[in-house]
Amino acid sequence: KSDNVGLSSGTLMTQTGKFTLRTITNTIGFKPNEGTEFVTGAVLTANKWHHVACSFNTSDNIVEIHIDGKLVLSDTDATADTTGSAAIFWGRDAAGNNEYTGYLDEIRFWNDKRTTAEIRTNMFVTDIDDAVETTLIHQGELNNGAGGAGTDNVASPQTQTVIAGGWAAAGT
């Protein structure tokens, strides 16, 4: 839920050398290999929750961006595939800059390309069972943390640390 649509840009998530997902005024920009940035048309509304799903398939180089369950961008990325093992940052970049002004909730990583039907099926589900959805590798639930730690509800959870900001209250 963005508080600054139309005013500036901010990093939603990034992994140095691998990918960046950000808001740019009322659009979404996605750089799957830190090369070409793919930018949607105007898709964001201030003070409204949006579901954003981005995918990149290395076998066919297809980039897709879904907003609120609808495919809004599909293109080909010719940038060479990169690998990344650095930390993933949410709401800012690795240097602590380009902060996103708004709220994030339910951040998921899958190790397969999700179809539009799969995205629509799971976009309102808050706790996906990774024993059933075996391609779900990370599920950051940013609405039920406390202090400086978040919850990762998968079989091999990753540490989530809140550096700045805090937790959104119910109904935010």
Side-chain angles (χ1 to χ4, degrees):
K1 178 177 140 180
S2 181
D3 291 341
N4 69 340
V5 167
L7 300 176
S8 63
S9 65
T11 301
L12 293 169
M13 72 174 71
T14 187
Q15 182 179 34
T16 303
K18 183 62 180 168
F19 72 90
T20 297
L21 175 63
R22 67 186 184 128
T23 61
I24 309 166
T25 59
N26 60 352
T27 69
I28 292 289
F30 178 46
K31 292 196 280 187
N33 287 302
E34 290 298 351
T36 304
E37 182 168 37
F38 297 88
V39 180
T40 67
V43 293
L44 302 177
T45 304
N47 299 311
K48 179 181 184 266
W49 283 101
H50 290 283
H51 182 270
V52 178
C54 298
S55 64
F56 174 67
N57 188 339
T58 58
S59 66
D60 61 11
N61 295 328
I62 299 295
V63 175
E64 292 184 347
I65 302 175
H66 290 78
I67 306 296
D68 300 328
K70 297 175 186 161
L71 179 64
V72 297
L73 184 145
S74 180
D75 207 336
T76 302
D77 183 12
T79 308
D81 186 36
T82 59
T83 58
S85 59
I88 297 172
F89 290 87
W90 303 332
R92 66 179 185 103
D93 63 22
N97 300 315
N98 301 311
E99 288 188 8
Y100 170 69
T101 303
Y103 301 97
L104 299 174
D105 183 26
E106 295 295 330
I107 296 174
R108 299 178 185 140
F109 287 90
W110 304 80
N111 66 4
D112 72 338
K113 184 176 178 182
R114 309 306 288 170
T115 66
T116 299
E118 290 170 323
I119 290 168
R120 287 182 181 162
T121 297
N122 289 319
M123 67 189 255
F124 294 112
V125 178
T126 57
D127 190 11
I128 296 173
D129 185 352
D130 65 316
V132 175
E133 290 280 1
T134 58
T135 59
L136 177 64
I137 58 173
H138 176 72
Q139 181 172 221
E141 295 188 0
L142 301 179
N143 62 344
N144 61 357
T151 303
D152 188 3
N153 289 336
V154 292
S156 299
Q158 301 296 310
T159 301
Q160 299 179 77
T161 304
V162 176
I163 296 172
W167 304 101
T172 303

